[in-house]
Amino acid sequence: MMMTTAFSFPSTITRGGAINRHPVYLHNSQLYSSSASSSSSSSSLRVGSRAAEEEEIDPYSEEAKTNLVNFYKQHNIDTIQDAEKDHKKLLRLTEQVLSWNQRLNLISRKDCTPEVVYHRHILPSIALMPLVLKNSHSGIISNSEDDGSNNNPQPLKIVDVGTGGGFPGLPLALLLPHCEFTLVDSIQKKLVAVSEMAAELDVENVRIHCGRCEEMYAEREGRKEHLAKYDVCLGRSVTALSRFCAWMYPLLKKQQQNDDGKEGRLIYIIGGELEDVVESRIQSDTFIDELLHREEGTSDKRALIFLAKDVEAIAMESGEVDKIVRSAPAGTGRKSRAKKNKQERTNKVAKGAWQKRDNSVKKERGYDDFQRFEF
């Protein structure tokens, strides 16, 4: 019989410095080894037998830690990151996701175990790290003149559109403190959970934007701060890729606007077939399994990379950019007009209705100019 998960409530320091108590997942290696067979059988229905075998690896085990160490070494990340410390951070994030998922659906509650959270959500997010750090050092890019000096380094600005439960943005922000992350989603309760998890994990390089992506660069006061400001945009199976490009292409830096000559990039996790307009403009196409150096067939997801100019071209050529319904200024929508018309009808006095007499107005008697004639 599958055992239930137990939780305790130790103290931690919140973002503001106060001491709070929060739920932490208590790991017991025997707890999950006893349910490995049932977990693998349910997993095989979705991702195949190889995926089930992969998910039998306990995230808390030495094997899982060794896999992360090897991943860092194979991508030359070990020179700037400590794999053992990062593995502990990822386990804490796993515990936070499990805890919050008891209250709301950050991820599917079916078969929600540490193995599922770690192998299907956290590791695929971490797999993007070498792609994000390409042409940069530890998330720092040069913002210097043509002399090649690096006197004014700037952090990578990364936006995760449709972050949902914080993937892939939050795991990357946890391990890349020198990058600036903006996590975007239209569902407020999920962003509240993401914000709380970031606070519990002392992640200070994350900010939250609740709303539609298109509103971030609208021609309104206070909204242009996101226009062409991001070096990297992340997405994970949010919607059709051409539609996603139409939503977010104005967020990426254009080549002529970036001092170091590097334009923004879209890194998108997706599975399945692609449209021709998308396929022809891919700069890089790598399976998640290949990035993680794990057995082929564990996942069908791929990480695609597009340059900003190609993202804009996809948005235009697909016609998706013309289908975007942008928000109108406050007070101009259909509901606002209906409310205004109703108010006007309410204030209008009906014909023949009784009204209080205004004594300042001269009475209309009908005989003020009457003249009497005598015969």
Side-chain angles (χ1 to χ4, degrees):
M1 182 177 66
M2 195 108 172
M3 297 182 65
T4 57
T5 304
F7 293 86
S8 65
F9 296 84
S11 300
T12 56
I13 302 178
T14 65
R15 183 181 301 169
I19 302 297
N20 280 347
R21 300 178 70 84
H22 66 285
V24 173
Y25 180 81
L26 294 179
H27 170 68
N28 184 339
S29 59
Q30 297 179 347
L31 177 64
Y32 303 107
S33 61
S34 62
S35 61
S37 58
S38 60
S39 174
S40 62
S41 61
S42 61
S43 301
S44 63
L45 297 176
R46 292 174 301 197
V47 293
S49 59
R50 291 180 180 177
E53 292 173 2
E54 179 69 25
E55 289 180 358
E56 288 180 356
I57 299 176
D58 187 348
Y60 293 84
S61 66
E62 286 296 321
E63 184 179 358
K65 182 169 67 174
T66 301
N67 288 343
L68 186 66
V69 171
N70 292 336
F71 167 70
Y72 276 23
K73 289 181 178 179
Q74 288 158 348
H75 292 284
N76 296 320
I77 304 176
D78 57 323
T79 59
I80 55 176
Q81 299 283 137
D82 188 330
E84 294 193 6
K85 289 183 179 179
D86 286 354
H87 180 247
K88 293 179 181 178
K89 293 179 182 179
L90 297 181
L91 293 180
R92 290 185 61 200
L93 176 57
T94 301
E95 294 163 357
Q96 286 292 317
V97 173
L98 286 166
S99 172
W100 275 97
N101 210 54
Q102 299 291 326
R103 289 170 264 182
L104 57 95
N105 271 355
L106 294 179
I107 60 175
S108 174
R109 289 183 179 177
K110 183 179 179 181
D111 196 26
C112 183
T113 64
E115 289 85 357
V116 169
V117 173
Y118 186 82
H119 289 290
R120 294 190 194 173
H121 298 279
I122 292 180
L123 280 188
S125 301
I126 298 306
L128 303 183
M129 191 185 300
L131 306 181
V132 170
L133 295 178
K134 189 177 181 180
N135 301 325
S136 69
H137 179 73
S138 188
I140 301 296
I141 60 174
S142 172
N143 192 26
S144 56
E145 303 296 332
D146 296 335
D147 58 2
S149 63
N150 192 23
N151 298 324
N152 188 25
Q154 296 292 322
L156 275 174
K157 295 183 182 296
I158 303 171
V159 58
D160 179 8
V161 176
T163 189
F167 302 104
L170 187 56
L172 289 170
L174 179 63
L175 303 187
L176 299 176
H178 299 299
C179 298
E180 296 180 359
F181 285 81
T182 301
L183 308 187
V184 183
D185 205 279
S186 59
I187 303 178
Q188 184 177 11
K189 62 182 181 180
K190 288 190 176 182
L191 289 182
V192 169
V194 172
S195 179
E196 290 295 325
M197 287 191 291
E200 294 291 350
L201 297 170
D202 298 322
V203 181
E204 299 179 350
N205 57 331
V206 166
R207 64 175 179 170
I208 302 300
H209 180 91
C210 183
R212 295 181 62 84
C213 172
E214 309 94 283
E215 298 172 352
M216 299 175 68
Y217 51 82
E219 295 292 331
R220 278 184 277 166
E221 184 179 356
R223 294 290 178 87
K224 289 187 178 182
E225 61 172 314
H226 301 284
L227 184 63
K229 297 297 184 183
Y230 292 97
D231 301 288
V232 178
C233 176
L234 304 175
R236 186 180 76 147
S237 302
V238 179
T239 184
L241 190 46
S242 57
R243 185 179 302 118
F244 187 82
C245 290
W247 291 350
M248 49 65 57
Y249 79 88
L251 298 176
L252 290 176
K253 289 181 178 180
K254 306 299 188 292
Q255 188 167 6
Q256 65 271 18
Q257 295 175 333
N258 196 347
D259 293 337
D260 59 8
K262 297 183 180 67
E263 61 182 315
R265 296 173 295 145
L266 167 63
I267 303 178
Y268 196 79
I269 298 178
I270 193 171
E273 300 295 327
L274 298 173
E275 304 169 68
D276 291 338
V277 67
V278 173
E279 194 86 45
S280 61
R281 297 186 178 276
I282 297 175
Q283 295 292 317
S284 173
D285 183 349
T286 312
F287 277 95
I288 295 296
D289 292 341
E290 183 180 345
L291 289 169
L292 292 173
H293 293 272
R294 63 187 184 186
E295 187 176 3
E296 182 181 354
T298 302
S299 172
D300 66 338
K301 302 299 183 183
R302 305 141 63 190
L304 308 180
I305 300 180
F306 303 86
L307 297 179
K309 61 182 179 182
D310 294 320
V311 173
E312 183 174 1
I314 292 171
M316 298 301 178
E317 293 177 13
S318 65
E320 290 291 341
V321 72
D322 299 323
K323 300 177 184 178
I324 296 178
V325 179
R326 304 189 186 279
S327 301
T332 62
R334 183 174 62 181
K335 291 185 178 180
S336 298
R337 291 196 301 270
K339 184 177 180 181
K340 183 178 180 181
N341 293 337
K342 182 179 179 180
Q343 186 175 6
E344 289 178 352
R345 291 194 300 270
T346 303
N347 295 337
K348 187 177 180 180
V349 179
K351 185 177 180 180
W354 180 87
Q355 288 181 283
K356 185 177 180 180
R357 189 178 73 177
D358 186 357
N359 293 328
S360 63
V361 180
K362 186 178 180 181
K363 296 180 180 180
E364 297 182 1
R365 298 180 181 277
Y367 53 84
D368 291 343
D369 56 348
F370 176 79
Q371 295 183 11
R372 182 183 296 275
F373 294 91
E374 293 184 1
F375 298 94

